[in-house]
């Protein structure tokens, strides 16, 4: 809490504690799986919008000099603001002809379709061990950029580093600590792999292995100065990341993420079951709606019917079954799709 004390005893190796090792490992895996679905969806959206599902993925890590004890929250807040400005400049650069423009091998600006941004914080273990507060924290940003055509790596690397340096003119940045490369599969250098592309940008805010550095406390009333220092460092990390948006998506990736979340989270519909104790509404999955279309005895759920065809009456009492057009499909199912 705010006084650097604990109101109750907690076990840190537990899935209920935010950013605990087990929870981070579990959620990092889920985030990667979700982002793979997002990339697949993004390809379909891109094909609808441009006629081609092809796009290119690039990975970069933006760094600043390590910060001292008691400075982490302010530094991460400033870093978050500056990376937002960088992504906006990348998007504006192609649309408006100004801002930040990355180029292809002919020097032409390339459209930035979307981006995944992740802020990560690591601790310098040597400084933690020696209780040195100077430069103990290393906050940095992983970015995956999705582009419409292939970038010229050398020029784009120089352009992006120059812009990031200008945004951090109050610091001295090292070009050696900056990298910009194509996001390839770890096993196949000649093909993209969705899992490899997004894994680095969707993992944990703090490495779960850092918990190994926590002191073993047998008597909280008689802490050594070393243990007290380590506890203050970990308190500062968790105060910084608590409630802060450390992962963001932009453009095509943001659109695809919203669609995947909509399908995953479902919508509220009127309850049509027979349980008198049930409320008036229930949340249903769109996947279930497509799979079953109505009440399913095994899952004990109710999902709305989806109208996909209409019957046209013809003289003599017969009818023809006709598929709905796209507009008719949306209109007929507007109740199901409300809020989509």
């Amino acid at each position: 809490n705010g006084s650097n004390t604990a109101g109750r005893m907690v076990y840190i190796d537990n899935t209920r504690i935010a950013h605990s090792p087990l929870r981070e490992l579990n959620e990092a895996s889920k985030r990667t799986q979700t982002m793979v679905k997002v990339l697949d969806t993004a390809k379909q959206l891109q094909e609808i919008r441009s006629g081609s599902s092809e796009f290119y993925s690039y990975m970069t890590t933006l760094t600043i000099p390590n910060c001292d004890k008691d400075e982490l929250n302010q530094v991460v807040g400033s870093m978050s603001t500056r990376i937002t400005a960088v992504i906006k400049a990348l998007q504006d650069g192609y649309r408006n002809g100004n801002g930040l423009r990355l180029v292809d091998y002919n020097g032409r600006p390339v459209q930035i379709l979307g981006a995944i941004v992740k802020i990560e914080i690591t601790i310098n273990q040597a400084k933690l061990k020696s209780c040195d507060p100077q430069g103990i924290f290393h906050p940095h940003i992983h970015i995956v950029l999705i582009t419409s055509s292939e970038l010229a790596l050398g020029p784009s690397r120089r352009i992006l580093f120059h812009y990031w340096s200008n945004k951090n003119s109050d610091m001295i940045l090292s070009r050696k600590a900056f990298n910009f490369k194509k996001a390839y599969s770890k096993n196949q250098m000649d093909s993209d792999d969705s899992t490899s592309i997004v894994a680095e940008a969707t993992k944990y805010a703090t490495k779960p292995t850092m918990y190994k550095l926590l002191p073993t406390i047998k008597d909280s009333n008689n802490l050594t100065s070393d243990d007290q220092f380590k506890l203050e460092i970990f308190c500062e990390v968790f105060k910084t990341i608590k409630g802060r948006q450390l992962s963001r998506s932009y453009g095509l990736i943001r659109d695809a993420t919203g669609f995947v979340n909509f399908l995953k989270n479902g919508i509220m519909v009127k309850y049509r079951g027979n349980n008198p104790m049930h409320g008036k509404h229930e949340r249903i999955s769109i996947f279930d709606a497509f799979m079953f279309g109505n009440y399913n005895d095994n899952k004990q759920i109710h999902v709305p019917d989806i109208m996909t065809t209409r019957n046209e009456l013809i003289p003599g009492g017969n009818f023809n079954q006709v598929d709905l057009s796209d507009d008719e499909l949306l209109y007929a199912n507007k109740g199901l799709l409300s809020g989509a």
Side-chain angles (χ1 to χ4, degrees):
N1 60 21
S3 303
N4 288 334
T5 59
R8 59 187 174 88
M9 182 67 75
V10 294
Y11 290 94
I12 203 71
D13 289 317
N14 152 337
T15 57
R16 294 184 182 182
I17 305 296
H19 303 292
S20 68
L22 294 179
R23 181 165 173 174
E24 281 294 276
L25 287 171
N26 185 43
E27 292 188 357
S29 176
K30 289 182 179 179
R31 284 193 293 265
T32 299
Q33 292 173 8
T34 298
M35 287 308 300
V36 169
K37 294 177 184 177
V38 166
L39 280 186
D40 290 339
T41 303
K43 290 179 180 178
Q44 296 179 55
L45 288 177
Q46 178 65 0
E47 184 167 11
I48 292 170
R49 294 173 179 179
S50 68
S52 172
S53 63
E54 185 178 36
F55 54 64
Y56 296 81
S57 307
Y58 296 87
M59 181 78 187
T60 186
T61 301
L62 300 182
T63 64
I64 60 173
N66 285 16
C67 64
D68 301 340
K69 184 176 181 291
D70 300 324
E71 294 181 354
L72 184 62
N73 187 57
Q74 182 272 329
V75 169
V76 172
S78 175
M79 173 185 278
S80 179
T81 301
R82 292 174 184 183
I83 192 56
T84 299
V86 170
I87 299 299
K88 184 178 185 304
L90 283 168
Q91 294 174 322
D92 290 344
Y94 182 84
R95 288 197 299 253
N96 306 330
N98 55 21
L100 176 57
R101 292 185 291 179
L102 303 185
V103 296
D104 62 15
Y105 288 100
N106 293 315
R108 295 173 299 196
V110 172
Q111 182 181 9
I112 305 298
L113 297 174
I116 307 168
V117 176
K118 179 73 176 184
I119 297 176
E120 183 182 348
I121 302 166
T122 55
I123 300 173
N124 186 306
Q125 296 190 26
K127 289 181 177 291
L128 184 69
K129 186 176 181 180
S130 63
C131 297
D132 181 358
Q134 304 298 314
I136 191 168
F137 296 117
H138 175 53
H140 53 282
I141 303 169
H142 296 295
I143 304 177
V144 174
L145 288 178
I146 307 297
T147 65
S148 59
S149 54
E150 192 170 3
L151 291 173
L153 286 178
S156 294
R157 183 183 294 114
R158 289 191 293 272
I159 291 169
L160 188 56
F161 177 76
H162 179 71
Y163 194 89
W164 180 243
S165 298
N166 287 341
K167 281 293 174 185
N168 295 276
S169 57
D170 53 334
M171 308 175 189
I172 300 176
L173 304 188
S174 169
R175 190 179 293 272
K176 293 181 179 179
F178 178 79
N179 196 11
F180 184 79
K181 60 185 179 181
K182 192 167 185 180
Y184 287 109
S185 164
K186 294 178 180 178
N187 299 319
Q188 295 178 300
M189 292 300 290
D190 58 345
S191 65
D192 284 348
D193 173 67
S194 296
T195 304
S196 296
I197 290 171
V198 300
E200 187 73 7
T202 56
K203 60 179 186 178
Y204 28 77
T206 54
K207 286 183 169 62
T209 52
M210 80 172 193
Y211 288 88
K212 295 178 181 178
L213 308 176
L214 273 170
T216 300
I217 301 173
K218 297 181 180 180
D219 183 358
S220 59
N221 294 319
N222 293 290
L223 290 176
T224 66
S225 59
D226 285 6
D227 287 347
Q228 181 65 34
F229 178 83
K230 291 177 181 178
L231 287 177
E232 289 174 1
I233 291 298
F234 282 94
C235 281
E236 187 170 354
V237 170
F238 282 97
K239 286 178 184 178
T240 298
I241 62 182
K242 181 181 179 182
R244 191 186 296 273
Q245 188 179 11
L246 298 171
S247 181
R248 307 176 203 165
S249 57
Y250 297 85
L252 181 67
I253 302 300
R254 183 176 183 272
D255 294 343
T257 300
F259 182 74
V260 169
N261 287 341
F262 167 68
L263 294 181
K264 181 176 66 175
N265 298 334
I267 59 172
M268 294 298 294
V269 298
K270 187 176 181 180
Y271 177 66
R272 296 190 300 165
N274 300 317
N275 183 358
M277 303 300 291
H278 199 285
K280 291 183 179 180
H281 296 84
E282 63 180 335
R283 183 171 294 279
I284 60 95
S285 164
I286 306 301
F287 287 134
D288 290 336
F290 277 106
M291 288 295 292
F292 305 113
N294 50 33
Y295 180 71
N296 178 267
D297 290 320
N298 294 326
K299 283 199 169 187
Q300 293 293 303
I301 58 172
H302 292 261
V303 293
D305 296 322
I306 295 179
M307 183 175 176
T308 58
T309 59
R310 59 185 172 86
N311 296 324
E312 289 186 343
L313 292 176
I314 57 177
N318 294 323
F319 64 89
N320 288 328
Q321 193 171 72
V322 181
D323 289 335
L324 297 182
S325 68
D326 289 347
D327 288 339
E328 290 171 333
L329 188 69
L330 292 174
Y331 180 80
N333 299 286
K334 60 183 179 182
L336 172 67
L337 296 172
S338 62

